Amino acid sequence: MVTSISKEEVAHVADLAKLTFTDEELEAYTSQLQDIVSLVDKMAEVDTDGVAPTFSVTRNVNHLREDKAENWHEKKALLKQAPEEAADLIKVPAILQGGEEA
């Protein structure tokens, strides 16, 4: 299977992502993406029948604790330590433009 990437397709995806490229950059990115797609096409030719999927190359295991609320009943004590509170919540400054403080 030979998949081809055109300069117009790269320009279209760049436009969707709100990116602007010069003609030289489009040529370079088109070439790089074509190389990547060609490599993926080449890898698709490899016979992998009977090969177990690899999910991780290490034997590391995530050890997770039970997701259990602790000290949930101490809300009033926590709110007393907060610099400001409103509507039974900790009041913080707005961080998004155009937003108002709660």
Side-chain angles (χ1 to χ4, degrees):
M1 165 163 77
V2 178
T3 307
S4 177
I5 300 288
S6 71
K7 183 177 170 182
E8 290 75 24
E9 290 171 316
V10 174
H12 176 68
V13 172
D15 186 51
L16 292 174
K18 304 293 186 215
L19 300 172
T20 306
F21 296 123
T22 65
D23 281 341
E24 294 80 21
E25 290 171 323
L26 276 176
E27 290 287 343
Y29 291 134
T30 301
S31 175
Q32 291 174 9
L33 285 170
Q34 185 59 55
D35 290 346
I36 293 168
V37 168
S38 295
L39 178 62
V40 170
D41 282 346
K42 185 76 173 166
M43 290 171 52
E45 296 173 9
V46 176
D47 180 17
T48 58
D49 287 341
V51 177
T54 302
F55 298 101
S56 176
V57 295
T58 68
R59 296 190 189 278
N60 293 347
V61 176
N62 288 333
H63 298 281
L64 304 175
R65 65 173 172 77
E66 182 182 351
D67 188 14
K68 183 174 79 173
E70 294 180 10
N71 301 333
W72 58 269
H73 58 283
E74 297 178 7
K75 182 176 180 179
K76 292 203 183 294
L78 173 65
L79 287 173
K80 284 182 184 177
Q81 296 178 32
E84 286 188 71
E85 63 101 1
D88 233 13
L89 300 169
I90 297 174
K91 185 174 180 179
V92 297
I95 58 169
L96 300 175
Q97 298 224 355
E100 296 180 24
E101 289 186 43

